[in-house]
Amino acid sequence: MHRLSPDTDRGALDVEDLLQIILSLVVVWLILEVIEGVLGIVGWILGPLQPLVGLTVIALIVLWLLDRI
């Protein structure tokens, strides 16, 4: 990649560098979509159990603070 001096044109970016930037952004976008899908499925499966999971977490924290665990 070339160093740009203040008096150079903004279009001095190489095509290969631009393609690498675009490809990197697409890969990040796809990874975020996969993570969102996985978390959505887990949320859907645990949907009815969310209050129980919350109560369990609270109970574990209280037991840990009371040195019962």
Side-chain angles (χ1 to χ4, degrees):
M1 192 162 133
H2 300 287
R3 292 212 174 251
L4 299 176
S5 61
D7 59 344
T8 60
D9 189 21
R10 285 178 19 172
L13 189 63
D14 290 334
V15 174
E16 290 84 13
D17 294 335
L18 184 61
L19 287 175
Q20 284 180 338
I21 292 170
I22 292 172
L23 182 62
S24 300
L25 290 173
V26 169
V27 167
V28 168
W29 175 51
L30 289 174
I31 289 172
L32 290 175
E33 287 290 328
V34 168
I35 290 172
E36 180 184 357
V38 168
L39 291 179
I41 290 172
V42 170
W44 179 75
I45 291 172
L46 294 178
L49 301 176
Q50 284 180 354
L52 293 176
V53 171
L55 289 174
T56 304
V57 169
I58 291 172
L60 288 173
I61 291 172
V62 169
L63 289 173
W64 181 72
L65 289 173
L66 296 174
D67 288 330
R68 300 288 180 151
I69 296 180

